[in-house]
Amino acid sequence: HIGGQVFYTRDPKRMSGLITEKPPAPGNVYENIEQIQLYDEFGQPTPFYLGATRHIPRPPVEIDEFDMSIGQLELVGPGGLVEIISVSGPATVHVFFEGTNEGDAQDDDSPADGRDEVVTQMVNLQLSGVSPSLGPVVVNLNPNLPSLGGIEELVNNNPGRLDIDPFHPGDADSFFNLFFEIHIGGQVYYTQDPKRMSSRITEKPPAPGNVYENIEQIRLYDAAGNPTQFFLGATRHIPRPPVEIDQFDLSIGQLELVSPTGQVEIISVSGPATVHVFFEGNNEGDAQDNDGDGMDEVVTQMVSLDLHGVSPALGPVTVNVHPTLPSHGEIEEKLNIQPGRLDLPPFGPADTAAASFFNLFFEIHIGGQVYYTQDPKRMSGQITEKPPAPGNFYENRDQIMLYDADGEPTGYYVGATRHIPRPPVEIDEFDFSIGHLELIMPNAAEIISVTGTTTVHVFFEGTNEGDAQDNDGNGLEEVVTRIVEMDLTGVSQTFGPVTVRVHPTLASHGLIEERDNLTPLRLDVPPFGPPGTTANSVFDLFFEIQMGNQLFYSLEPKRMSSVIRHKPPAPGDIYENPQAIELFHADGTPAGILLGMGRHQPRPWCEMGDTDDDQDLDLANYAAFLGCMSGPGNPAPGLDCARCFDYDGDGDVDERDFSVLQAVFTGSP
């Protein structure tokens, strides 16, 4: 069957070969070089002949798997509208060698051109991307038409062997006649003509950065074979793109969750993210102007996102990338100083910048349910480095629907969203913080005093400390915080030694929001705001509490609130919450214990020796005094010894102060 016509041979074509197994071994060849006439269906001779012919029943095959290939396709729609769509995903190629060994090849051209070649076939292609106007795009191979190709060496230094690495040094021409199946906007389109994708490759399989491309337009057809108004234009595919992996160990974000009733919650989230950046050449920073706007760009993909936070109404929230819809993006320079290079630090000059975006598809865990986005959330930002510099952020204010696992709309929407891959962070270390917690048991309750260390991360929203944003639209600026470490110890009358830590997997986020907006984009609390300004501060704390040999966990947050006079909190600023929450065992079963009143002072005042702020002078305070006499750091690191124990005001803690403290314990202060 050729060109829509059917031809027949009336004379037999005697295909002969020497076989080494039955069935023929891989690489055994049948062939015949004689010409025989082709006839039409009426038995009339035609001007066509069948000449030299060969057949390999079991060609030796090498399978090349490309787990992450990238491409770009030009989609030409009705009225000539052109879109450049980035796609990525796996591809699989079969390479059929012409002998018993990998690398065996033959000069099969007629007439022979003196160069050996092998047949190839692309057997799998699963590329996904997003059209700004039509939504998700999936590019596969037409299941009914094979996408065959070939690799032909440039120089024949070793007859019968493909002269390209790793078989022998050299380069080769490679092509595929690709037949596509393209899913766009809920419709499926096909190519009837092959798209001949060609490349000069330097290895087999293609080396990182080797590119296949074709700029010709071919028409797309519907499933019934009818021509559509869509065309596939300039197309390129990089089987093994050079990739730089950017790991963000602690990124932060905020998302606006809109419930079916219209209630809006602003949820702070934080956690790691991973981005792949695909350069367009052999070197990091290599880029191309693929959309013809005069600026070079590279394709990106967010491959991992694991952000955690708390909805006050629905409990813990986890934000991941969609498990099946890839979240592609792009970095495009804003000034083309050197063509073929991404003009952005560290590749370009220090004062250059780039526009960057991700078409993010989410998987969101809320209140024990899992929701998905079917439409991409286009997160855009201007970045001043690659990877983004501290404070560079991505955002989008559009609302998109969340769907359940069956694809049904849920009534929930994700609204305004913000993500800072590398937030500027100030680390507040509290070497001696104190707290009180109430344990409520079935038949008793007790209050336990605990002391120890606490570490808080404060994430500013710009390049400078104190930079803040009004992300919840209430006219006051705020920053995200997180308690990353807590190690408070005390003694329970019921359980013995007690240690209070933050939950090992549930993040304890918080917020500092100014109470008066005196200077836009600055957190108006000392040391950033003027003296006398204050801020509301909260933490949604998830606990791990060790009592004796038992571990208990809180699975809902305890919201600890305070009005702070300084950042970090001033001495005496107190976080507290009187509401009781349930404690659970490690296996998630209820422990029968409630965590009631909670109180925490990151930087306690020490009034007249009450180092643990329990309104009583006892042996714990006596031990702290002895530590102050023996030198800082033992037993209470960070304790303000002079403030606590310098009773005579001479600037030193000594025997004269000891006599005052001793009088307290004898009852005659």
Side-chain angles (χ1 to χ4, degrees), residues 73-74 180 182 191 195 216-218 220 230-233 235:
L73 59 93
E74 183 182 64
F180 292 107
I182 303 179
T191 58
K195 185 83 165 167
E216 297 172 350
Q217 281 191 7
I218 58 174
L220 295 180
F230 287 98
F231 290 82
L232 184 60
T235 309

Side-chain angles (χ1 to χ4, degrees), residues 286-335:
D286 287 349
Q288 294 289 333
D289 177 20
N290 296 305
D291 55 10
D293 64 355
M295 301 296 166
D296 295 325
E297 70 273 347
V298 295
V299 173
T300 60
Q301 182 176 357
M302 187 168 287
V303 297
S304 173
L305 190 67
D306 190 22
L307 308 183
H308 298 268
V310 176
S311 157
L314 299 170
V317 173
T318 301
V319 180
N320 306 126
V321 289
H322 197 289
T324 60
L325 296 175
S327 293
H328 297 112
E330 185 179 271
I331 301 173
E332 183 175 71
E333 63 193 9
K334 298 179 75 77
L335 187 65

